[in-house]
Amino acid sequence: MPDIYYAGTDWQCSSGPIITRRYALTDLWPTGLASEIGGGNKDVLAAGDHPVVAIGTKADRPNNLTGVVVTYLNAFLIEVNMASKVVVKDYVSNILTYAQGVAATWAATFTIAKPVYVDDSADLPAGCRLSLSPLNSAGSGNPLAGYLHYDQDEYRNIDIGGPNATSDWPVTADNSEAVETALCIMLVNDSGQAWATIAR
Amino acid sequence: MRQIILLLKGYRGAQLRRLGAPEVKFQELDSFYGWVDTQLTGVKTGTLAVGHMAEVMTSADFQYALGEFLQRRMEPAYKRKRFNFEPIVKMDTAPNYSAVTRYQDRAGVDDLEYVGEKGEASPGSRDDAIKKQWQVYKWQKQYEFSMEALVNDDLAYFSDQARLMAEAARRTLEKYVSRFMWNATTTGRLTALLAMYSTTGRLTTARISAARMAFNQRVDARGEPILASLKYIVHHSGLVDTVATIQNSTLVPELATNAVNVVRGTFTPIEDPFCAGTAPNLPWFALTDYAADNIVPFILGRRAGMPGAVIARKTPNMEIVGTMLGAGTPAPPLWGDFETGNIVLKVMDEWGTFISGTDGNMYDVNGCYYSSGTAP
């Protein structure tokens, strides 16, 4: 149950690409107080935090821009990496669907290239904003953030003398309850177009 | 000196009179110069007025000027333990990244046979050579810093970044070589070859002797005896004292009798800090000396022209063409790239080894003897 944003200095899982654009805190969600469905709180964004967030008004969901916070100076000057295919690490919940306002199904494993969405449901703890559910607990579309991806040391590499006899993927979760795991996500930052294409 | 103090006191008194100072200031004047005069004479009067200087303001009174001072400094980092693997791996060089091929003749020719009078000698044969292939791969890691992070680093926290990157390259290589011995394919192969190539026993003089005798009975591809001598024992870090006891004891340390310790001084121990194990089940590995016996247990290849790790910095795509400070004013030296100010460093190395689905990383199984160290 991560109550704070992923804090490791290993949050960057690829060296790029980097295309930064500047936003204000009010443009980003869900982050901070009363940013969950039902008024619950997420962790408060601060310098050194690098959460994956959705951008713009929620009325446009699920076709929101998404990105990862790179630097935070104050609530009005936040640099967000908007580049497509950059890989970053963040907490991801295994929630697949909601029913009657609460999580109903969960993935038994996290698998490579599984779509990851920015989810403002209250079922996610304060440090987690990403799930596998295309809809939030209120039935609104979640913006597509990206796809689960390997971390740099999670490949099977024994065949070239590396230490891993097997891949770390799929990553074990639990199909009977919510599990939040720090995983790498390849961001797409495509205004939700991929999601829209799939949904329609 | 006391005359000078007296003159200074008079001079300061005249100053205060001219400034119209209050009476209390003149009392302070008496106290201060009286105290200095007393210190010079060495005569202690015992009176409070001239015996002490009263401190009226402390550091706590200066919350901005003094109160925000913080001494920050870095403590020395840990010292790293190394795995000095060089004696147990033969170094080789590849001209490029493609696989290179090595052949070794691992058999002689036929024994001679009796030929009768007017008889014809039977034909002999010669075995094909053993073929081994390996190639080198690139091993790298890059680090990206914002220019601000480096400029703000008043503790010089990142000043040894290059050294740490070079150390990481060496450590990665040491782990790579360590896996030659302990990976499941290598140990599984030796275990399958049974007692002449493996045991489960913990490290004792008797076990080392058994390994020596196993090497002593090595044969070539045709079953002919070859020269193979135990030279190195690579062991878990928890076996250092066990090895020292065996190496220093003139009598067999595990026995109450006076049996002579014949393995004392016959091998060179090498500690492998990356060998995994939980006491008392600590593994060890015996090896031959490839330089003496031409039995190469493991091989470590590098690419020609790339004998060690190198560190590179991405050249900033920005050139300072002038400043607003006037001609000749030097520009600050530290800049990152044009777009983001990022500064990127990379450490690079290249190496490879023989890798087999059957033999693991053993280039020649005859040079290897493994123990899981699980049996008492």
Side-chain angles (χ1 to χ4, degrees):
Chain A
M1 291 286 285
D3 291 328
I4 58 172
Y5 293 140
Y6 183 75
T9 56
D10 60 346
W11 68 278
Q12 291 182 97
C13 305
S14 71
S15 58
I18 301 173
I19 303 173
T20 53
R21 295 291 180 262
R22 193 170 307 133
Y23 290 98
L25 187 59
T26 51
D27 302 326
L28 311 179
W29 60 271
T31 182
L33 304 179
S35 59
E36 289 180 345
I37 293 175
N41 301 330
K42 292 296 182 195
D43 190 16
V44 176
L45 189 61
D49 292 339
H50 306 286
V52 175
V53 292
I55 302 166
T57 174
K58 289 186 177 181
D60 293 331
R61 62 193 306 167
N63 295 322
N64 293 87
L65 286 166
T66 54
V68 58
V69 174
V70 178
T71 59
Y72 173 94
L73 182 65
N74 58 37
F76 308 98
L77 299 170
I78 301 168
E79 301 289 342
V80 180
N81 186 6
M82 310 296 295
S84 182
K85 306 302 185 288
V86 63
V87 184
V88 300
K89 189 176 290 184
D90 204 344
Y91 292 114
V92 181
S93 169
N94 65 334
I95 294 175
L96 284 170
T97 61
Y98 296 90
Q100 281 82 48
V102 295
T105 59
W106 302 267
T109 57
F110 293 102
T111 54
I112 285 297
K114 188 80 173 169
V116 175
Y117 303 88
V118 177
D119 187 344
D120 55 351
S121 305
D123 295 59
L124 276 58
C128 179
R129 292 136 283 95
L130 302 174
S131 78
L132 307 180
S133 175
L135 301 175
N136 68 6
S137 59
S140 302
N142 286 329
L144 179 71
Y147 300 88
L148 293 177
H149 193 70
Y150 293 96
D151 200 353
Q152 51 194 323
D153 58 354
E154 292 178 339
Y155 298 91
R156 172 192 158 116
N157 57 10
I158 192 172
D159 308 300
I160 55 166
N164 298 335
T166 58
S167 166
D168 286 359
W169 289 79
V171 176
T172 302
D174 190 331
N175 63 1
S176 62
E177 63 176 353
V179 173
E180 297 84 27
T181 306
L183 299 170
C184 286
I185 309 119
M186 185 165 65
L187 304 183
V188 288
N189 306 85
D190 64 349
S191 319
Q193 293 304 306
W195 188 93
T197 304
I198 294 168
R200 294 166 191 168
Chain B
M1 177 58 80
R2 297 186 66 197
Q3 289 295 325
I4 294 173
I5 296 297
L6 191 61
L7 285 171
L8 287 173
K9 178 183 175 184
Y11 180 71
R12 180 60 179 158
Q15 272 187 323
L16 290 173
R17 272 191 293 276
R18 194 170 63 183
L19 292 170
E23 183 59 28
V24 65
K25 285 291 181 186
F26 289 94
Q27 290 172 4
E28 287 178 358
L29 189 71
D30 285 340
S31 296
F32 175 72
Y33 285 99
W35 181 84
V36 174
D37 186 53
T38 302
Q39 298 305 307
L40 288 171
T41 61
V43 176
K44 308 299 181 190
T45 64
T47 56
L48 187 61
V50 297
H52 299 277
M53 290 187 73
E55 186 179 6
V56 295
M57 289 181 289
T58 71
S59 296
D61 296 311
F62 302 95
Q63 297 208 5
Y64 295 128
L66 303 179
E68 294 186 356
F69 174 79
L70 292 171
Q71 188 189 25
R72 302 161 62 240
R73 69 180 178 198
M74 296 293 300
E75 297 290 359
Y78 288 135
K79 292 186 175 179
R80 205 176 66 76
K81 185 183 279 188
R82 292 186 68 146
F83 174 30
N84 298 310
F85 61 77
E86 279 77 2
I88 63 169
V89 296
K90 183 182 181 184
M91 300 298 297
D92 203 345
T93 306
N96 51 38
Y97 300 105
S98 300
V100 296
T101 306
R102 302 288 183 262
Y103 307 96
Q104 188 182 24
D105 189 354
R106 291 190 181 173
V109 293
D110 295 353
D111 288 346
L112 308 188
E113 294 187 38
Y114 165 78
V115 176
E117 187 174 1
K118 288 290 186 178
E120 182 182 3
S122 55
S125 63
R126 179 165 181 175
D127 289 6
D128 197 359
I130 299 293
K131 176 185 176 182
K132 300 279 182 179
Q133 288 187 307
W134 54 267
Q135 64 192 101
V136 299
Y137 300 98
K138 296 185 295 181
W139 304 86
Q140 303 183 352
K141 189 74 87 173
Q142 65 171 301
Y143 297 86
E144 178 191 298
F145 300 91
S146 72
M147 186 190 70
E148 287 92 330
L150 296 184
V151 171
N152 289 346
D153 181 20
D154 59 338
L155 286 174
Y157 183 69
F158 296 121
S159 65
D160 62 349
Q161 177 70 18
R163 180 182 63 78
L164 292 178
M165 289 165 67
E167 257 190 15
R170 167 71 191 189
R171 185 182 63 242
T172 308
L173 178 58
E174 290 175 0
K175 288 180 176 178
Y176 189 82
V177 172
S178 176
R179 287 192 294 270
F180 292 177
M181 287 166 286
W182 314 117
N183 78 75
T185 311
T186 295
T187 57
R189 172 68 168 146
L190 290 169
T191 303
L193 287 170
L194 305 176
M196 293 298 281
Y197 291 86
S198 65
T199 179
T200 56
R202 292 173 190 154
L203 190 63
T204 62
T205 53
R207 294 318 179 353
I208 293 173
S209 182
R212 275 163 51 81
M213 294 306 100
F215 281 125
N216 215 33
Q217 299 171 71
R218 289 281 190 264
V219 294
D220 67 10
R222 289 192 168 200
E224 304 296 342
I226 58 174
L227 194 63
S229 303
L230 188 155
K231 174 65 175 175
Y232 299 104
I233 297 278
V234 180
H235 58 83
H236 187 279
S237 291
L239 289 171
V240 170
D241 279 355
T242 302
V243 170
T245 302
I246 293 170
Q247 286 287 63
N248 290 294
S249 177
T250 54
L251 303 178
V252 175
E254 300 93 15
L255 298 177
T257 63
N258 289 335
V260 175
N261 178 11
V262 294
V263 302
R264 175 182 182 234
T266 61
F267 64 92
T268 302
I270 297 176
E271 180 186 350
D272 179 358
F274 305 108
C275 173
T278 304
N281 303 325
L282 302 177
W284 53 279
F285 208 101
L287 299 127
T288 55
D289 181 2
Y290 68 84
D293 300 336
N294 289 341
I295 301 171
V296 181
F298 303 110
I299 196 161
L300 180 64
R302 286 186 170 279
R303 188 170 64 87
M306 190 70 179
V310 296
I311 294 175
R313 177 190 170 186
K314 184 186 278 187
T315 306
N317 56 350
M318 181 165 60
E319 182 182 7
I320 307 301
V321 294
T323 74
M324 301 298 113
L325 303 174
T329 305
L334 186 61
W335 295 102
D337 66 27
F338 186 87
E339 293 80 10
T340 62
N342 283 343
I343 293 166
V344 186
L345 302 174
K346 184 161 77 168
V347 57
M348 308 181 291
D349 207 345
E350 296 174 355
W351 63 70
T353 190
F354 173 72
I355 301 171
S356 159
T358 305
D359 289 341
N361 298 113
M362 289 183 291
Y363 200 68
D364 188 343
V365 70
N366 277 326
C368 303
Y369 185 95
Y370 162 72
S371 175
S372 59
T374 52

